[in-house]
């Protein structure tokens, strides 16, 4: 039970906790609830309503974690900032083409070498992408940052991400709606950002608590350039065994 203050606690209740609602009543009520507020009404989860950038309930896109296939291509996207650095990993089912977002890194106020170590721990063979101009950096500063993460100290395999914002938002929305992009239920920080990712009254994207939302867009738009299969050395074999619980 989350504590709000020394005298207040928050209890999140779903309509399954309401004994007088039977299955028939729930089905009738659900049919009348707009899709973008269904999780809020039925599960007590926060929602941005009609201002949501992706008006698709989390319940429609999340899946239980499962072992990632040996021959699934993987990649990740990185969004860097002092207050928050985030990375998001994806893996593609070769039989369906569906990309599953299975792991996240979410940490603030740390040196690049600390973030890089956490990222390499999920597979140093996995290639990633990063937007050099993200968070207001100049192109020169962005190139310097990429060089630092690629350098001998951090040793990350990074390429510049495709950062076409409006096109990217539309394509990610379509992918989520069509079931081509799914997430593991264990991505708690991702789900927190997804619930509040919205536009303001002027139609502009609210640039707050959106680090993993940006990485999802980078990864989807740059997937064909970053996706790769594991190498065949002993390190890759050890990693595949350890990563069978990916996303947890």
């Amino acid at each position: 039970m989350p504590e709000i203050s020394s005298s207040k606690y928050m209890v999140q209740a779903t309509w399954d906790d309401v004994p007088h609602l039977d299955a028939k009543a729930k089905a009738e009520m659900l049919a009348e609830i707009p899709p973008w507020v269904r999780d809020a009404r039925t599960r007590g989860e926060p929602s941005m309503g009609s201002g949501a950038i992706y008006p698709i309930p989390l319940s429609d896109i999340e899946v239980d974690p499962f072992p990632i296939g040996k021959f699934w291509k993987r990649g990740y996207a990185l969004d860097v900032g002092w207050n928050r650095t985030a990375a998001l990993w994806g893996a593609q089912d070769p039989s369906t083409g569906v990309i599953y977002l299975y792991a996240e890194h979410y940490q603030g106020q740390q040196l690049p070498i600390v973030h890089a170590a956490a990222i390499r721990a999920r597979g140093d063979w996995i290639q990633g992408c990063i937007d050099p101009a993200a968070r207001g950096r100049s192109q020169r500063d962005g190139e310097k940052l990429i060089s630092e993460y690629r350098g001998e100290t951090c040793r990350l395999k990074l390429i510049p991400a495709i950062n076409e914002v409006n096109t990217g938002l539309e394509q990610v929305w379509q992918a989520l709606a069509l079931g081509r992009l799914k997430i593991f239920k264990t991505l708690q920080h991702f789900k927190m950002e997804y619930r509040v990712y919205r536009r303001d009254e002027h139609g502009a994207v609210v640039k707050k608590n959106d680090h993993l939302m940006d990485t999802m867009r980078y990864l989807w738009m740059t997937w064909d350039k970053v996706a790769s299969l594991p190498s065949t050395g002993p390190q890759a074999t050890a990693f595949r065994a350890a990563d069978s619980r990916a996303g947890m």
Side-chain angles (χ1 to χ4, degrees):
M1 183 182 297
E3 182 178 350
I4 298 176
S5 70
S6 59
S7 60
K8 295 181 180 179
Y9 291 85
M10 180 184 72
V11 178
Q12 183 173 329
T14 74
W15 67 4
D16 291 331
D17 299 310
V18 182
H20 65 269
L21 289 178
D22 57 23
K24 182 175 182 295
K26 291 176 185 177
E28 292 174 350
M29 293 171 64
L30 188 65
E32 298 178 357
I33 300 174
W36 56 84
V37 292
R38 284 179 179 172
D39 282 350
R41 299 281 182 85
T42 64
R43 299 164 63 180
E45 295 180 351
S47 170
M48 286 299 104
S50 59
I53 290 177
Y54 303 128
I56 303 169
L58 271 169
S59 55
D60 286 359
I61 65 172
E62 62 182 4
V63 300
D64 291 321
F66 56 83
I68 301 299
K70 181 178 180 180
F71 297 106
W72 290 32
K73 290 184 177 180
R74 304 196 200 195
Y76 73 91
L78 178 63
D79 186 68
V80 176
W82 173 244
N83 289 323
R84 186 69 59 199
T85 289
L88 189 65
W89 283 260
Q92 187 173 37
D93 184 341
S95 64
T96 64
V98 175
I99 295 174
Y100 293 87
L101 305 178
Y102 67 88
E104 61 184 13
H105 170 73
Y106 204 72
Q107 190 174 18
Q109 301 183 7
Q110 285 290 354
L111 297 172
I113 190 173
V114 176
H115 297 301
I119 291 169
R120 289 199 313 273
R122 293 194 175 273
D124 57 10
W125 58 270
I126 303 177
Q127 184 169 250
C129 60
I130 180 176
D131 177 25
R135 305 297 158 190
R137 289 187 294 270
S138 67
Q139 186 67 28
R140 182 176 179 180
D141 287 343
E143 291 172 355
K144 182 179 179 181
L145 183 66
I146 287 183
S147 296
E148 182 175 3
Y149 273 99
R150 282 174 170 171
E152 293 185 2
T153 302
C154 293
R155 307 192 311 277
L156 295 184
K157 298 179 179 180
L158 286 171
I159 64 172
I162 296 174
N163 186 17
E164 299 173 0
V165 178
N166 291 329
T167 299
L169 292 174
E170 182 178 350
Q171 290 195 14
V172 170
W173 185 1
Q174 290 179 358
L176 292 169
L178 295 174
R180 296 166 56 200
L181 184 60
K182 298 283 188 179
I183 73 160
F184 277 15
K185 288 182 177 179
T186 44
L187 303 188
Q188 297 303 320
H189 294 106
F190 178 97
K191 294 197 292 185
M192 178 271 293
E193 288 194 2
Y194 185 91
R195 292 183 183 114
V196 298
Y197 194 41
R198 67 196 188 279
R199 296 183 186 274
D200 62 20
E201 62 272 18
H202 304 294
V205 177
V206 176
K207 295 302 294 176
K208 184 178 180 181
N209 296 323
D210 64 343
H211 304 273
L212 288 168
M213 296 300 97
D214 282 349
T215 59
M216 175 168 61
R217 177 165 48 82
Y218 300 157
L219 189 58
W220 180 261
M221 295 293 288
T222 320
W223 182 257
D224 289 342
K225 296 180 181 294
V226 300
S228 61
L229 290 170
S231 57
T232 57
Q235 288 184 334
T237 302
F239 172 73
R240 285 198 298 270
D243 198 47
S244 62
R245 56 184 181 83
M248 296 184 179

